[in-house]
Amino acid sequence: VQLQASGGGLVQPGGSLRLSCTISMFTLDYYTIGWLRQAPGKGREAVACFKGSDGSTYYTDAVKGRFTASGDNAENTVYLQLDNLKPEDTAVYYCATHGTSGWDAKTLCETSSRVYEFWGQGTQVTVSS
């Protein structure tokens, strides 16, 4: 199982980015993908989750209304649209999955980051003027 995140960069406050997570060796149809981030000096926290079988999503309060998770099952790719970015969104962003099917998006996002078995390499998002 392989995941590869991309799309990070430097953006001004209020700006937007779109992150991509390309998935290999398993089919998005059966899995739920988490987007997590790790800011300097802090632990990893989930911000959004996307369930491939039905497109359902879940967002944590910190990003609700600003971030949007989506997926293209034909391309086996998950996206995270980041809008109205704030300096506190600065972090390395990861996509990850548990590796077993059937996770509800809300349940996965609310579970400890230790539950994730497979991780992408991370992409840096920096929000600064």
Side-chain angles (χ1 to χ4, degrees):
V1 175
Q2 294 181 338
L3 302 96
Q4 185 168 352
S6 62
L10 172 64
V11 64
Q12 293 186 342
S16 297
L17 285 171
R18 189 174 82 154
L19 308 183
S20 299
C21 177
T22 303
I23 301 157
S24 303
M25 306 298 288
F26 70 92
T27 304
L28 177 59
D29 290 345
Y30 302 109
Y31 294 94
T32 302
I33 307 299
W35 284 100
L36 302 94
R37 68 185 181 186
Q38 186 167 20
K42 296 186 178 181
R44 290 184 183 180
E45 61 169 352
V47 295
C49 290
F50 176 85
K51 185 173 183 179
S53 63
D54 62 9
S56 60
T57 55
Y58 179 80
Y59 304 95
T60 61
D61 289 344
V63 306
K64 196 176 298 181
R66 301 188 298 118
F67 291 8
T68 304
S70 62
D72 184 334
N73 289 43
E75 296 294 328
N76 242 22
T77 301
V78 177
Y79 303 99
L80 186 66
Q81 178 69 35
L82 288 62
D83 294 319
N84 191 21
L85 282 160
K86 304 176 181 180
E88 52 264 43
D89 295 318
T90 295
V92 178
Y93 283 71
Y94 301 87
C95 55
T97 187
H98 179 270
T100 58
S101 60
W103 281 84
D104 174 76
K106 181 177 186 290
T107 302
L108 185 62
C109 260
E110 292 184 338
T111 302
S112 166
S113 63
R114 291 190 295 273
V115 77
Y116 294 89
E117 296 180 287
F118 303 101
W119 293 80
Q121 83 282 13
T123 185
Q124 176 71 47
V125 172
T126 303
V127 185
S128 175
S129 55

